[in-house]
Amino acid sequence: MFSFLLVFQTSNADVIPQNSHYFEKRVKIINIDEFPDFSFIGYVKHPAGKPIKSYVINSKDYLHIDGYKFNILYIVAAKKNYLLNKNLDSLNWEKNKSFLKANIYIDTEGGYIDNDKPISYIEEYYKIVKLTKTRIVLFKCAEAIFNNDGSPYTFREFDYIEQSKSDIYPFKKDNRIVETYTSGTVFKFLFALLITIFIETLVLFLFFKTRYKKLNISNKLLLITGLVTSFSTLPYVWFVFPTFIQSRIPYIIICESFAILVESFLIYKLLKIEYKKALFISIICNLISFSIGLLINYIISSEYTFFYALKTLFE
C-alpha cells in the first residue's frame, strides 16, 4: 500500500458550500512606477516551504501565486543595479539585507460567497507609502466590487494610518488593514441625511396638515420630530449595521424594520399620538424615503457607469 501511495499523488479539491458561488480576486500595486530605482519582486512558495517561482511585479499586472491556492506570495524589493545580471530564483532574499520586505501579507485568492451576494470579482488596489531601510510599507487604498447581476459596481477608498513598528509583521498573514471613512463617504452620508430629513419631515407635514389636521400639531414640533427621527436612525443604518450584516436582503429588512420601529416610537412620544397612527406614519415615511433613495442611487450609478464607459472607450 505504501509503494502504491508513492506512485499516485493526492489531489486537493474544494468542498463548495451550498448556495454559494466562486468570486475571483484581482490585486494590483498601482504606484510602483513612483520608485524607478527599485525592482519589486513576487516570490511564490508552497506552504511546505518549497520555492515555486519568482517574477517582477509591475503596476499593470495582477499579483498571482500560480496554481495551488494555498501558495504564499512574498513581496520584496531591491535596487535595480543590485539585481543586474542576477538570477532571481537563486537569490536568498529571506536573509539578504539588500532586499526590502513588505510589511503586510496580501491575499490574492478569491473564494466562495453566498448566492444572495451577486459578486463576480473584486479588484483590490494597494499603494506603496514609503520604502524604509528594511521595509516596503504597503496599504490597501481602494477596492472595487463587480457584480454578476448587471448592477453597477461599488468603489471604496481607504486612508492610510501610520503603523508603529510593533504593527509590522513581515511574512505573516496580516489582515489588520485599517479602513476609515473617507471624505467621500462622509459627504454621501450627509447628503443622504439631508434628503431623508427633507422627505420624512415633508411627509409629516402632509399628514398633520391634512389627514390628522384636528390634532393641531405645531410646525415647530413637526420639524423637530423630522430631525430627531432621522438623526436617531440613519447613522446606525450607514455605519453600524453594515459591520455585522453583509448580505444585501437581510441588511435591507433589518435596517428598515429598525428605522420603522425606532421612528414610530419617537413620533409616538414626541407628538403624543396613538401608537397605531405613529407606526402607520413611520411606515409611510420610510417607504417613501427608501423608494426615492433607490431612485436617486439608480440615477447616479447609471450616469457614473455611462461616463466611465465613455472614458474607457476613448482611452
Side-chain angles (χ1 to χ4, degrees):
M1 177 63 74
F2 180 73
S3 59
F4 179 81
L5 290 174
L6 288 177
V7 175
F8 294 93
Q9 293 182 340
T10 58
S11 62
N12 294 284
D14 285 328
V15 178
I16 301 175
Q18 286 187 333
N19 301 316
S20 66
H21 66 277
Y22 184 80
F23 72 92
E24 184 183 354
K25 188 184 285 188
R26 304 172 184 177
V27 183
K28 285 183 179 181
I29 301 174
I30 61 175
N31 67 332
I32 284 176
D33 295 340
E34 295 176 12
F35 303 87
D37 295 334
F38 284 83
S39 287
F40 293 83
I41 303 158
Y43 280 97
V44 182
K45 272 191 172 185
H46 189 273
K50 178 184 176 182
I52 296 175
K53 71 170 294 183
S54 58
Y55 62 91
V56 176
I57 300 170
N58 61 62
S59 296
K60 295 180 180 179
D61 296 331
Y62 297 113
L63 302 179
H64 56 88
I65 57 172
D66 281 10
Y68 187 43
K69 72 175 185 178
F70 292 115
N71 288 344
I72 304 167
L73 174 66
Y74 300 102
I75 298 172
V76 300
K79 289 273 191 177
K80 285 184 176 178
N81 54 14
Y82 173 77
L83 295 174
L84 196 63
N85 299 323
K86 287 186 172 68
N87 182 354
L88 294 179
D89 293 323
S90 65
L91 295 173
N92 188 355
W93 54 269
E94 291 181 271
K95 295 182 179 180
N96 192 325
K97 293 183 178 180
S98 297
F99 284 92
L100 313 180
K101 285 84 173 179
N103 64 317
I104 58 172
Y105 168 85
I106 297 178
D107 184 7
T108 62
E109 282 298 292
Y112 290 94
I113 195 167
D114 290 341
N115 285 334
D116 62 350
K117 298 178 183 177
I119 296 175
S120 175
Y121 64 94
I122 297 174
E123 287 196 354
E124 292 183 349
Y125 308 101
Y126 285 78
K127 271 188 176 181
I128 302 165
V129 180
K130 59 185 175 182
L131 301 179
T132 70
K133 291 182 179 180
T134 58
R135 297 282 182 263
I136 310 165
V137 181
L138 290 160
F139 87 107
K140 186 168 80 170
C141 62
E143 176 184 80
I145 300 176
F146 296 83
N147 300 316
N148 56 20
D149 62 353
S151 59
Y153 71 88
T154 58
F155 185 80
R156 294 193 301 167
E157 293 181 291
F158 309 114
D159 294 327
Y160 173 71
I161 294 180
E162 189 72 33
Q163 294 177 314
S164 65
K165 288 183 179 179
S166 61
D167 285 330
I168 296 176
Y169 293 87
F171 312 132
K172 293 183 180 179
K173 185 168 183 176
D174 186 2
N175 290 323
R176 300 175 303 152
I177 298 169
V178 180
E179 298 182 1
T180 60
Y181 297 113
T182 62
S183 57
T185 302
V186 173
F187 282 126
K188 287 177 184 177
F189 165 73
L190 292 175
F191 175 73
L193 180 61
L194 290 173
I195 293 293
T196 303
I197 290 171
F198 174 76
I199 293 169
E200 297 195 1
T201 304
L202 181 61
V203 174
L204 284 173
F205 270 88
L206 289 174
F207 266 110
F208 288 98
K209 297 304 176 182
T210 55
R211 183 168 182 167
Y212 301 130
K213 186 176 181 179
K214 292 181 180 180
L215 295 174
N216 293 320
I217 306 295
S218 68
N219 292 344
K220 182 179 179 181
L221 189 54
L222 289 174
L223 182 59
I224 291 171
T225 303
L227 289 169
V228 170
T229 52
S230 296
F231 271 104
S232 299
T233 55
L234 200 64
Y236 290 94
V237 170
W238 268 69
F239 300 115
V240 177
F241 287 112
T243 305
F244 303 100
I245 308 167
Q246 304 299 321
S247 299
R248 182 173 51 177
I249 301 302
Y251 168 77
I252 292 172
I253 293 171
I254 291 171
C255 287
E256 286 303 309
S257 300
F258 166 78
I260 289 169
L261 291 174
V262 171
E263 291 181 14
S264 65
F265 178 78
L266 291 171
I267 292 169
Y268 165 68
K269 284 293 185 181
L270 291 171
L271 301 183
K272 295 180 173 57
I273 61 174
E274 294 177 17
Y275 182 71
K276 286 183 179 179
K277 290 179 181 177
L279 181 61
F280 174 69
I281 293 168
S282 178
I283 291 172
I284 298 300
C285 283
N286 281 279
L287 181 62
I288 293 174
S289 64
F290 178 73
S291 301
I292 293 175
L294 282 179
L295 179 62
I296 292 172
N297 186 61
Y298 174 77
I299 292 170
I300 293 173
S301 299
S302 298
E303 287 182 355
Y304 181 80
T305 304
F306 174 72
F307 286 117
Y308 179 80
L310 281 180
K311 178 177 177 292
T312 305
L313 183 64
F314 290 103
E315 279 183 347

